[in-house]
Amino acid sequence: MKNKRMKMARLELDMSQEDLAQAVGVTRQTILLIEGGGYNPTLNLCISICKVLGKTLNDLFWEG
Amino acid sequence: MRSDDIRDERVLAVRRKIASETLQLFSIALFIAVLIQNIILKAPPAQYMVEWALLVAAAAYSILRSFAEGVSPFPLNTQGRVIIFSLSTGAILAFILKVALDALIYGPEKIVEAAQPKWIFVATFICGTILSFIWLQSIYLKDKRNHEQMDKDDD
């Protein structure tokens, strides 16, 4: 399932996928796959992404 | 000097999977090579002894490391799997013994001309199967009891 909330949060900060990838220490392809729903990240990576984007796990990853 | 390489978890996972699959394919190829040389080509044991020793060492390392890490090397979640793994262990033990006896009796350089007495391998297969079944069954039952106890505690 696509993660539109993560993409929106990234765009709100005017960050490219490359910027976010560098900030959390992964490749751009990994960010692309997470946003596209093609890769299930570990909890550690989710937390790193949340910290960089200033959001909580609930905001970005919880499917209610 | 600090490495600037990105340790991407997805890339690492894919690399580990590729390495694991390569090792599995290599082990299977090595096993088939030893089987063909021993059974079909009747080659002298010296010709395939290194492959055989590497296979035995790799299997021993895998099993011992799994136990040391507290992980079962066999997915023993059904009774059927216990029986299949017991039969496989018996067959592998019989083959290991055959290669070892070929080298001992005929010497490492001589070509194996006659077949070994079959009862030795049948006996090894049966004993190996029974012993591994007792061992694996005890692990399976202990694991099952633990899960039942955990379910009870959860209720």
Side-chain angles (χ1 to χ4, degrees), chain A residues 25 27 29-30 39 42 45, chain B residues 6-11 13:
Chain A
T27 58
Q29 286 82 359
T30 298
Y39 174 65
T42 63
L45 181 53
Chain B
I6 295 172
R7 291 181 60 81
D8 187 322
E9 61 177 35
R10 181 183 60 85
V11 176

Side-chain angles (χ1 to χ4, degrees), chain A residues 6-21:
Chain A
M6 185 175 140
K7 188 173 182 177
M8 293 303 294
R10 177 172 62 77
L11 293 174
E12 277 172 17
L13 294 177
D14 202 22
M15 286 179 93
S16 65
Q17 288 182 337
E18 187 68 50
D19 296 334
L20 179 59

